Amino acid sequence: MDLLAPDVTRIAPEGSEPAKDRAPDELASGTPEPLRTELIDLLGEDRVLTRVIDLVRYASDASPYRLLPKAVLMARDADEVAKVLAYGRRSGVPVTFRAGGTSLNGQSQSDGILVDVRRHWRGVEVLDDGARVRVKPGTVLGHANRALARYGRKLGPDPASTDIACVGGVIANNSGGMRCGVVADSYSTVRSLTFILPSGTVIDTAAASAEERFAEAEPELARGLTQIRDEIRADPRLSERIRDKFRIKNTTGYRLCAFLDGDTPVEIFRRLLVGSEGTLAFIAEAVFETVPKPSKTTVSWLHFDGIEAATEPVPALVESGATAVELMVAPALMVAAQNIAGAPQDWLELPPTSAALLVEFGAATDGELDGLVAGAEEILREHELIRTTDFTRDPERIEVSWTVREGLHGLIGRLRPPGTSLIIEDVCVPPERIAESARDIQALLTEHGFLPGVAGHTSAGNLHFMLTPDFAKQEDLDRYEAFMTKLVELILDKYDGSLKAEHGTGVNMAPYVEREWGERATSLMWRVKELADPDGVLAPGVLLNRDPGVHLRNLKTTPPIEEVATTCVECGFCEPVCPSRDLTTTPRQRIVIRREMARQPSGSPVQRALLEQYEYDGIQTCAADGTCAISCPLSIDTGKLIKGFRERERSEAAQRRAVRVAERWAGAERLARSGLRAGTVAGPLMRAGAGAARSLFSDELIPSWPRNMPRPAPAKLPATTREEAAAIYVPACVNRIFGRPRGDG
């Protein structure tokens, strides 16, 4: 048994200092009573996650914040969601919905009940030959786009997190992207929604009876929305202010333009839900109007000696028809060259202060594309580039270019000092002032001791930049607060811009909503929240918050862990490819849990519980195949981390025995196949023997013998030929032992 039994104490972190944001000792037993029993009675034991490892792995998302939920629920359908909301109203425990967990401002975190809608809320139905698509909220955006690709269509919103962000979160945050601007985002392309209000009312806005049902089931909400509509329309100055605010990207506060764009309560509320960050209702389904994909595209990296020079040609390139103009700084490109397969290696020779634009053009024919490229090159003759232009139409090079841009979050994370957090700010200014604002933001970053790099969707006036404070230090917290105060003044007073362009308000900007919108507009937003959610059960404090210091609390520390994974920024890009994502944990969660172990004092109740539960959830169920490294912008191989734990868990004697088995693996395979063959003959006896051994020793270490146990694999592999072969198949050892399951045709 020594060969099989691991010693989890061998992987306990060594010499870590207890962190101030560590999980408290009382959390070691998980969800407290009576909440645990009440939730299990509500949904069933298989829907409720209550162990400390579950609460810790859901405490983090891609933001700098961290909240430990009281319980995590896996609601399967609208009835179960309604039950959870009813429970939240009765008990006063807040409810927050989480899908992909890519929110950058704490929108998918809760210290109450967290409902995971990624696992059981997936589905794509293509309608009208791709002109429309019906999507469930837990569907990864990229999966929906792959279903639409054959029709030459795609969804309008295209955030960098396309291959991990789920549709529900994209709608809830009105997430933007490289190409959508303000004309193809969720607000502009969602045509109908099915939503569930905190009261339990379910409305399909596409149903013929939607208005009648809404007025009957929610009379106060319907009447209140109508009153706000009339007040806004009766105030020309406010109406014009609202329209001005949404002429550029803006996700600060609620979409008050819904009261100008929609006439009826259902039309207004459907629009309000876009960008509401889960604070008004749960979105159970959405129908989008899709946008066409150009059949021909070309991209080029345009390199300049600095950010200011790079932003100067942006307006002209946009005017000439560019579908995307993305800004990146040289240090991020240099990290990409080291971590992303196919990225140009000569980027390692770029001047560190240089910057580049990734410019894309799309057209229906090669001839049209030729004309667009010629126009761009004419524009660029008036600007000094440090490298020649190279517009490529090669699909592989285009894909690599966009992989680099989409991995910006993680790439910058590689540059941050050890122990620091990564905060991505997201502002928008009128596009014609992009160069001026980039210069001002760089100066502000330098003044407060942050990296002076900016990036983003320059065609829309949307700039991103990263802050890397160490929240374990009070002086860094003070520096961050001072920077935020100056940033708000700059963006609002000088540029009349948006404090949040496409990442949603979140905890980060909730205290500044009134500063951006003014008292009158903000009071209308509070009325919307109180009408839709009178008990305040849905994600309280996330989008509107009267606490001026809420953005400075619950900031997570990032204690160092094993070198292979310590640079992880918890973006979640690795999750969709993980084989165990729906069984136990994902690569991101394995790292999140490990960091919590490092936050704990040695031998604490929480650390001991995490080590014990991590054995199965983190170690045994990891495929350790390295596919997560392919999706990670930093090529972090969580499988390598786990293999290191597996090695450390076992004694030297156990390692020697394992090596002897490995050196005789052909014999081990033959022995296993022989055992399967013998067991097939003596099926009932094998089932009884396995059951007795499991009862006597361990039901985790001794396998069961199910009735449909696969027959043994053939001893010899079939003869193959390399002529006209499309791939090489390397069978895993499990496929050399187990054959086809019984009944599998």
Side-chain angles (χ1 to χ4, degrees):
M1 302 297 290
D2 289 342
L3 181 64
L4 297 174
D7 180 0
V8 296
T9 63
R10 291 173 173 267
I11 67 165
E14 298 177 4
S16 55
E17 284 291 325
K20 62 183 180 180
D21 65 331
R22 66 185 182 275
D25 289 350
E26 57 267 26
L27 201 70
S29 56
T31 301
E33 293 289 1
L35 181 61
R36 182 204 309 258
T37 298
E38 289 172 354
L39 291 176
I40 290 173
D41 290 344
L42 187 73
L43 295 186
E45 196 163 4
D46 62 328
R47 305 278 204 283
V48 184
L49 305 181
T50 62
R51 301 171 304 158
V52 62
I53 196 170
D54 300 318
L55 309 184
V56 166
R57 67 188 172 107
Y58 278 98
S60 298
D61 57 13
S63 78
Y65 296 98
R66 182 168 171 270
L67 275 177
L68 290 154
K70 289 182 172 65
V72 179
L73 307 185
M74 299 288 179
R76 288 180 179 268
D77 54 35
D79 288 342
E80 291 189 353
V81 167
K83 285 182 181 179
V84 174
L85 292 173
Y87 178 85
R89 294 199 322 275
R90 289 194 310 270
S91 64
V93 180
V95 177
T96 299
F97 296 96
R98 171 175 171 142
T102 56
S103 294
L104 293 166
N105 296 304
Q107 295 98 320
S108 57
Q109 297 178 353
S110 174
D111 57 1
I113 295 171
L114 194 65
V115 184
D116 184 323
V117 296
R118 178 179 61 102
R119 190 170 300 185
H120 301 302
W121 293 82
R122 300 170 187 157
V124 180
E125 180 186 1
V126 178
L127 308 169
D128 303 334
D129 290 327
R132 295 183 305 135
V133 62
R134 188 187 311 277
V135 194
K136 297 286 187 182
T139 304
V140 172
L141 190 68
H143 294 175
N145 282 336
R146 282 188 273 282
L148 289 165
R150 71 185 67 179
Y151 302 94
R153 313 282 294 186
K154 66 183 185 69
L155 293 174
D158 61 336
S161 54
T162 288
D163 285 328
I164 172 59
C166 295
V167 170
V170 169
I171 297 172
N173 291 329
N174 196 29
S175 306
M178 280 73 74
R179 307 171 186 86
C180 68
V182 294
V183 296
D185 59 6
S186 294
Y187 185 82
S188 302
T189 57
V190 166
R191 292 294 166 258
S192 70
L193 293 174
T194 298
F195 59 83
I196 305 172
L197 286 160
S199 63
T201 298
V202 181
I203 300 290
D204 176 1
T205 66
S209 60
E211 294 289 354
E212 181 181 348
R213 170 159 169 69
F214 192 64
E216 180 182 334
E218 304 289 337
E220 291 187 20
L221 175 56
R223 188 164 49 249
L225 293 173
T226 302
Q227 290 171 351
I228 295 174
R229 177 201 66 189
D230 294 344
E231 289 177 31
I232 290 175
R233 294 183 180 187
D235 187 336
R237 185 176 178 183
L238 178 59
S239 297
E240 186 58 29
R241 177 62 176 159
I242 291 170
R243 292 205 183 280
D244 279 345
K245 289 294 292 176
F246 291 109
R247 287 194 172 100
I248 62 174
K249 285 185 174 185
N250 189 339
T251 58
T252 308
Y254 291 123
R255 296 283 310 207
L256 291 181
C257 56
F259 293 100
L260 301 173
D261 299 332
D263 293 321
T264 66
V266 166
E267 288 180 355
I268 292 168
F269 195 68
R270 191 256 297 169
R271 288 172 168 84
L272 279 170
L273 286 179
V274 179
S276 65
E277 302 177 36
T279 62
L280 301 179
F282 169 63
I283 297 170
E285 188 175 80
V287 175
F288 284 83
E289 179 181 317
T290 62
V291 299
K293 287 182 65 177
S295 55
K296 306 289 183 180
T297 59
T298 183
V299 303
S300 179
W301 290 96
L302 311 178
H303 295 273
F304 300 84
D305 65 2
I307 291 174
E308 189 170 356
T311 54
E312 287 175 356
V314 170
L317 290 169
V318 174
E319 184 68 23
S320 73
T323 51
V325 184
E326 296 295 303
L327 174 67
M328 289 188 72
V329 291
L333 297 180
M334 296 163 82
V335 174
Q338 295 171 318
N339 292 279
I340 295 179
Q345 292 304 294
D346 60 1
W347 283 352
L348 295 171
E349 301 166 9
L350 287 169
T353 57
S354 68
L357 296 177
L358 174 60
V359 179
E360 178 190 76
F361 287 94
T365 66
D366 284 320
E368 291 178 20
L369 207 55
D370 290 340
L372 291 169
V373 170
E377 290 179 337
E378 183 67 26
I379 291 168
L380 294 171
R381 288 192 187 97
E382 301 176 8
H383 299 271
E384 187 174 347
L385 280 72
I386 61 173
R387 293 191 175 191
T388 58
T389 61
D390 178 20
F391 281 96
T392 180
R393 303 182 193 187
D394 177 64
E396 186 172 343
R397 289 179 62 193
I398 292 174
E399 183 177 357
V400 168
S401 295
W402 284 115
T403 298
V404 170
R405 171 58 189 89
E406 290 165 359
L408 176 65
H409 182 185
L411 294 172
I412 296 296
R414 174 75 83 180
L415 301 174
R416 77 187 199 280
T420 59
S421 296
L422 180 64
I423 302 173
I424 299 185
E425 287 301 341
D426 163 45
V427 300
C428 194
V429 301
E432 63 273 14
R433 302 188 70 181
I434 189 71
E436 182 186 4
S437 64
R439 183 170 59 250
D440 284 345
I441 291 171
Q442 280 187 282
L444 192 62
L445 289 164
T446 301
E447 178 187 342
H448 289 84
F450 294 114
L451 294 171
V454 296
H457 318 309
T458 50
S459 58
N462 180 194
L463 289 173
H464 304 314
F465 47 95
M466 282 69 170
L467 310 175
T468 56
D470 182 350
F471 288 125
K473 300 176 181 177
Q474 182 61 43
E475 59 268 29
D476 269 25
L477 186 63
D478 296 340
R479 181 165 60 107
Y480 169 63
E481 183 179 12
F483 173 85
M484 290 297 294
T485 300
K486 292 292 187 181
L487 175 69
V488 170
E489 292 174 359
L490 174 68
I491 298 303
L492 298 184
D493 297 342
K494 182 172 182 177
Y495 293 99
D496 193 20
S498 309
L499 293 175
K500 282 297 173 188
E502 59 181 6
H503 294 167
T505 309
V507 177
N508 172 262
M509 283 296 178
Y512 301 108
V513 172
E514 185 169 333
R515 176 72 168 79
E516 176 169 337
W517 276 99
E519 183 181 355
R520 170 80 171 120
T522 307
S523 68
L524 294 176
M525 294 182 189
W526 276 107
R527 281 171 61 184
V528 168
K529 171 65 173 174
E530 289 157 3
L531 283 166
D533 183 20
D535 299 302
V537 67
L538 280 177
V542 164
L543 187 146
L544 296 173
N545 202 309
R546 293 187 173 96
D547 181 350
V550 66
H551 63 305
L552 301 176
R553 287 194 294 279
N554 301 310
L555 291 159
K556 65 185 173 188
T557 60
T558 53
I561 56 172
E562 284 72 16
E563 185 176 355
V564 66
T566 198
T567 56
C568 173
V569 296
E570 300 176 14
C571 64
F573 277 44
C574 55
E575 293 190 334
V577 301
C578 177
S580 64
R581 65 187 181 277
D582 291 335
L583 175 65
T584 51
T585 55
T586 67
R588 170 169 62 173
Q589 290 173 341
R590 289 179 168 96
I591 293 171
V592 164
I593 297 163
R594 185 60 176 173
R595 282 181 171 154
E596 180 57 42
M597 293 181 197
R599 290 188 186 97
Q600 294 290 323
S602 181
S604 74
V606 168
Q607 190 185 81
R608 290 198 305 269
L610 288 176
L611 284 169
E612 179 183 347
Q613 294 164 12
Y614 197 67
E615 176 56 34
Y616 178 75
D617 287 52
I619 298 177
Q620 290 186 17
T621 53
C622 178
D625 58 4
T627 52
C628 48
I630 299 172
S631 300
C632 174
L634 297 178
S635 301
I636 294 173
D637 183 354
T638 310
K640 186 176 180 180
L641 172 73
I642 298 303
K643 284 186 278 191
F645 290 153
R646 290 173 180 171
E647 180 180 2
R648 286 163 57 184
E649 280 186 326
R650 286 164 172 82
S651 66
E652 292 184 9
Q655 294 283 3
R656 288 195 297 271
R657 289 196 290 270
V659 168
R660 285 199 293 271
V661 172
E663 289 171 343
R664 299 162 178 79
W665 189 247
E669 280 187 356
R670 285 195 298 273
L671 183 61
R673 286 194 294 267
S674 298
L676 280 173
R677 198 170 295 111
T680 301
V681 176
L685 183 60
M686 287 295 291
R687 281 194 296 276
R694 285 162 64 83
S695 300
L696 185 60
F697 297 105
S698 169
D699 60 1
E700 289 193 7
L701 297 178
I702 306 298
S704 63
W705 189 275
R707 293 182 181 276
N708 62 341
M709 176 67 84
R711 56 176 60 88
K716 292 184 178 181
L717 289 168
T720 59
T721 177
R722 72 170 58 214
E723 282 74 22
E724 300 184 3
I728 298 172
Y729 171 53
V730 183
C733 55
V734 68
N735 291 329
R736 293 296 302 123
I737 295 171
F738 294 99
R740 183 176 296 167
R742 297 179 184 280
D744 182 354

